[in-house]
Amino acid sequence: MLITHDTRCALDTVVDLVNTAPENDEADGLADVAALADFVRKHEISDVGVLTDHDLAAVRRVRARFAGIFAADDARTAAGVINELVAAAGTTPRLTDHDGYDWHVHYFAPGASVADHLAADCGMALAFFVVAGEQDRLRRCEAPDCRHAFVDLSRNRSRRYCDSRTCGNRLHVAAYRARRKEAAR
């Protein structure tokens, strides 16, 4: 599957957005408007005005819907959520070449809220995966204490952890130690 630069950026954004949701004892990564502003800045989300508490609440609602896509058991369920998100955002595809970037497509309407911007652009990036029959690449980390979202872009669809250096390595070391302990008995 060919993934354009814009689609990859939108995928990174939606994964990071979903992973801001509080899990277990973690704090909400979008605790306030300042955190949302940092998220917008980090992901270079363009055409966003002054952010408010209303924007924060709307982005949290979109975040929960995106989390549902990563949890979907099948493409039909994922497609239904994506269709609802993109339709509610008032999608208006248009070509643009702003801020030194070559021509690319924005799916959000000019002047759209940050929540609609995320729903449209990130929703379309996820839609490309469903259309390509790759919805199963939208995953959650298999580490029992993590469950972060990620997109498996490995050739053989074998990625199991959000980060192999942390979650994957931690579980492999624990399994190794358990085997050693069992063998010593």
Side-chain angles (χ1 to χ4, degrees), residues 9 21 37 43 48 56 60 83-84 92 95 113 176 184:
C9 290
H43 291 283
V48 174
L56 179 61
R60 285 178 177 164
N83 284 339
E84 290 170 7
T92 307
L95 287 167
S113 70
Y176 170 77

Side-chain angles (χ1 to χ4, degrees), residues 59 68 88 94 132 153 161 167-168 178 182:
V59 169
R94 62 189 167 95
L153 297 177
Y161 307 108
C167 291
E182 188 64 32

Side-chain angles (χ1 to χ4, degrees), residues 1-4 7-8 11 124-138 151-155 157:
M1 176 177 180
L2 176 66
I3 300 173
T4 65
T7 300
R8 181 59 193 255
L11 290 172
M124 289 304 300
L126 295 174
F128 296 142
F129 273 75
V130 173
V131 168
E134 303 285 353
Q135 182 259 334
D136 61 331
R137 290 182 181 267
L138 308 176
V151 178
D152 179 3
L153 297 177
S154 67
R155 284 187 183 178
R157 301 175 183 186

Side-chain angles (χ1 to χ4, degrees), residues 20 22 27-36 53 56 60 63:
T20 64
D28 191 329
L30 294 179
D32 52 31
V33 174
L36 177 59
D53 286 327
L56 179 61
R60 285 178 177 164
R63 174 181 70 185

Side-chain angles (χ1 to χ4, degrees), residues 22-45:
E23 300 234 359
N24 303 326
D25 293 330
E26 294 177 6
D28 191 329
L30 294 179
D32 52 31
V33 174
L36 177 59
D38 287 342
F39 183 88
V40 166
R41 196 171 16 269
K42 175 184 175 194
H43 291 283
E44 299 178 353
I45 300 171

Side-chain angles (χ1 to χ4, degrees), residues 81-155:
V81 176
I82 292 168
N83 284 339
E84 290 170 7
L85 278 166
V86 171
T91 306
T92 307
R94 62 189 167 95
L95 287 167
T96 184
D97 67 340
H98 63 88
D99 298 329
Y101 292 104
D102 204 2
W103 288 105
H104 58 283
V105 179
H106 280 187
Y107 294 97
F108 58 94
S113 70
V114 66
D116 286 345
H117 179 132
L118 290 168
D121 273 2
C122 296
M124 289 304 300
L126 295 174
F128 296 142
F129 273 75
V130 173
V131 168
E134 303 285 353
Q135 182 259 334
D136 61 331
R137 290 182 181 267
L138 308 176
R139 300 188 176 163
R140 291 289 191 155
C141 183
E142 290 183 18
D145 59 340
C146 179
R147 305 300 297 151
H148 278 165
F150 69 94
V151 178
D152 179 3
L153 297 177
S154 67
R155 284 187 183 178

